[in-house]
Structures are given as C-alpha cells and as structure tokens.
Amino acid sequence: MQINPRRRVRSAVTVVALATVALLGTAGTALATRSDDRATQVVGENATTCEGAKLPGKVLPTSDLTFTGGTDNLLLNITAVGKGVTVTAIVVKGGHGYNVYVPGEKGLPENPPWTELRSPLNKGDQQAAISHWFVCGEKKTPPTEQPKPSEPTKTSTAKPPTSAPTTSKPSESSGTPTSTTAPAPAVDGNGGNGGGLADTGFDNAWLLWAGGLLVLAGAGVLVLLRVRRGKTD
C-alpha cells in the first residue's frame, strides 16, 4: 500500500501545528511561573477595580499607604498602611495581564512591608513596567472619643482683711503727756484719828483718859457693894 505524498505533507503540517500550540501553552505557563511565585497571574485581561478583578474589598486611596515605586517602574514596595486599614489584595498591572498578591498567601507576609511587587512578564519574556496598580481592602474609622465633662469651676470668696487695732498716740501738741490720775492726798501720821479721817485741829486724847477713870470708878463701886452685902449677911 502506497501512501500519497500529499497526505504525508498534510500530516507533517498538522503535527507541527499541534507542537507549536503545545509549546505556546508551555511557554505561557512558564511565563506565569517565572513572573513571581508569590502572585497569581491573570493573562490577557485588565482590571481597574476590586469588583472587576473579582476581589473582596474596595480600592483604597494611596493616601492610606506608604509606598515607593509603582506606575512606570518595574517594582512596587508597600512599606506601611494607615491606622484601621486592612488589605485583602494587591493588583499590579503591566504587559499583557496583571498579578494579584494576597497578604498571608504564597509566601507573602500577612502584614507590610510588601516589597518587589511586579507586573507579569511581557511576551518577550522580559519584566514589563507597571502600567497601574491598586490595593483592595477596607478602612475602619476608630470611634470618636467623647470629651470628658469639665469639672465645675470652684469660686472662692475672699474674706476682707482683718484691720489691725489702732493705738492712740500721745498728743504731740504739748511737750509732756497729759495725766488723768489725781495724786493721792498725803496722810499726816500725827493726826488725832490715826490718819483715818481728815484732821480738823481738835485733840481727843482726853476722852481716852476720862473713859478709863470711869471704868475704874465703876469697878470700885461694885467692890464696895459686895463688901457691904457680905457684912449684913
């Protein structure tokens, strides 16, 4: 049985085409693997929102991120995120697709810094520059602290100053201080009443002698009366 030469040519072309398709598929797989093992590569598509990339969260403003590199650069480094920010995914677009980085997966740290993030390799098997990138996540606003009630102002009532007692000064109009106390009267020790009353000039010492004589006379009369009464008995 002879094989038609034309049929051989057709078979050879078919084998070559299948081999080319297989090689292209293998090259595409190798390209995705060599881009970055920490990322999931999406080939031939573009995304500008988290919803378009089928990722949870919303696009966070770059003001909530501290980063270097990015658009028109080969690499992106995110070193910090704002307070209350949770990152669910990072999308880096360039070339003919984009890479999706998920914190905590495929060796990417759960918390920043996330360094040397990149877009997929281009068709020439070279690192493509980043055309755009965005971060998906959410931001929780911390509760506002209620101001503490101000303490009532304590008012103090100032007491009036106590006035010091005033002392009267001696009159300066006269050379000597005025005395209000009268001098005690001089008592003469030779007065007839021993100084108890004012001396009138009358000497009453004879009354003492007269009284003494009357007492003696009375005593003599009593003695005589008893003598006579004894004789009559």
Side-chain angles (χ1 to χ4, degrees), residues 11-201:
S11 298
V13 171
T14 301
V15 171
V16 172
L18 292 174
T20 301
V21 171
L23 288 174
L24 289 175
T26 303
T29 303
L31 178 64
T33 302
R34 290 198 307 271
S35 176
D36 194 341
D37 293 338
R38 302 172 298 170
T40 299
Q41 179 174 316
V42 180
V43 180
E45 295 185 14
N46 188 17
T48 57
T49 64
C50 300
E51 184 179 2
K54 298 179 181 180
L55 297 171
K58 297 181 180 181
V59 177
L60 297 173
T62 54
S63 58
D64 289 334
L65 309 170
T66 303
F67 65 93
T68 58
T71 303
D72 297 331
N73 291 277
L74 295 179
L75 300 175
L76 168 67
N77 301 306
I78 299 176
T79 56
V81 299
K83 187 176 182 180
V85 173
T86 301
V87 175
T88 55
I90 305 168
V91 177
V92 183
K93 172 71 172 68
H96 63 288
Y98 59 86
N99 281 339
V100 177
Y101 294 89
V102 178
E105 295 183 6
K106 293 186 177 183
L108 188 71
E110 186 174 357
N111 298 309
W114 301 305
T115 59
E116 298 185 357
L117 309 181
R118 65 197 71 180
S119 62
L121 298 177
N122 58 24
K123 293 181 181 180
D125 200 21
Q126 295 179 350
Q127 180 64 55
I130 299 173
S131 60
H132 69 271
W133 63 277
F134 58 90
V135 176
C136 300
E138 61 179 353
K139 181 179 180 179
K140 294 181 179 180
T141 304
T144 305
E145 296 182 0
Q146 297 295 332
K148 297 180 180 180
S150 58
E151 297 181 358
T153 305
K154 297 181 179 180
T155 57
S156 58
T157 304
K159 296 182 179 180
T162 304
S163 59
T166 58
T167 57
S168 60
K169 297 181 178 180
S171 176
E172 297 179 357
S173 59
S174 61
T176 57
T178 304
S179 175
T180 57
T181 304
V187 179
D188 190 0
N190 296 325
N193 56 3
L197 298 175
D199 192 0
T200 60

